Amino acid sequence: MASRRKGRILAFQALYFWESNRVSVEELSRFDWLEEEKLKKLDESMAAFSRLIVAGTVENIESIDKTIRDHLVNWDISRLNRVDLAILRISVFSLMYQNDFPPSIVIDEAIGICMEYGADDSFKFINGVLDNIRKTVERKGDS
C-alpha cells in the first residue's frame, strides 16, 4: 500500500511539473524531471502505477477539469494554486476512471498529500470538492 501512496505522490509531482511545462506524457513518464538520486531509487511497480495515473489524467484532462469546475462553489479553476489543482486532477481521475479504488481511499490519499505539500488549510477545500465529486460519480454509477 505504501508504494501506491508513493505512486500517487509521484503522479501529483508529475502533474504539477506538467502544468508548468506542458511536456508530452512520454517525457513526463520517464521522470527525467526528478533529481538523479530519486530517479535511481525509483521502484518500478510504483513508477508504473504513477504512469497510469499521469497518462490517464492528461488523456482525460478536459473532462476532469470540467468536473472540477462544475464542483467549485464561488471559485474559478484558474484561481486554484498548482499544488491543489494537481492533487484534484489525479484524484478526480481516480474517482472517475479507476473503479477498483474505493472513493474513501482516493480522498484520504488526496488529503494526506495535500497536508504534506499544500497550504495549511487546503486539505479542507480538497476534501469538500472531492466529496462532492464522489457523490456525483456515485449517482451517475447508480443510473
Side-chain angles (χ1 to χ4, degrees):
M1 203 52 110
S3 70
R4 296 236 183 216
R5 170 69 180 261
K6 289 179 182 176
R8 282 188 178 94
I9 290 171
L10 187 59
F12 145 70
Q13 292 170 330
L15 263 285
Y16 181 88
F17 180 83
W18 179 79
E19 181 64 26
S20 301
N21 299 285
R22 296 295 174 152
V23 297
S24 70
V25 171
E26 293 78 28
E27 287 179 82
L28 207 54
S29 295
R30 286 195 302 263
F31 305 115
D32 293 341
W33 46 271
L34 275 176
E35 297 169 6
E36 192 171 335
E37 278 301 307
K38 289 184 179 182
L39 192 56
K40 287 178 184 177
K41 295 178 184 178
L42 203 57
D43 174 71
E44 189 47 46
S45 66
M46 177 193 67
F49 179 65
S50 183
R51 283 184 190 102
L52 175 76
I53 294 171
V54 168
T57 301
V58 172
E59 181 179 311
N60 295 288
I61 198 71
E62 289 175 15
S63 65
I64 290 168
D65 282 357
K66 181 184 181 328
T67 300
I68 293 169
R69 272 193 300 279
D70 290 349
H71 290 85
L72 293 176
V73 179
N74 300 320
W75 201 260
D76 189 79
I77 196 168
S78 65
R79 291 183 55 209
L80 293 177
N81 71 51
R82 289 192 323 226
V83 169
D84 292 350
L85 182 58
I87 293 169
L88 283 171
R89 283 174 166 167
I90 66 165
S91 302
V92 170
F93 167 74
S94 293
L95 290 172
M96 292 175 67
Y97 300 103
Q98 292 185 306
N99 300 330
D100 49 336
F101 295 107
S104 60
I105 300 288
V106 172
I107 294 170
D108 285 349
E109 290 286 338
I111 291 168
I113 294 169
C114 192
M115 290 176 87
E116 189 172 341
Y117 294 94
D120 288 342
D121 285 342
S122 286
F123 73 93
K124 295 175 185 175
F125 172 75
I126 296 289
N127 183 46
V129 173
L130 290 178
D131 194 49
N132 285 331
I133 292 171
R134 174 195 59 81
K135 291 172 186 171
T136 300
V137 169
E138 286 176 353
R139 279 194 299 271
K140 286 181 180 177
D142 291 342
S143 30

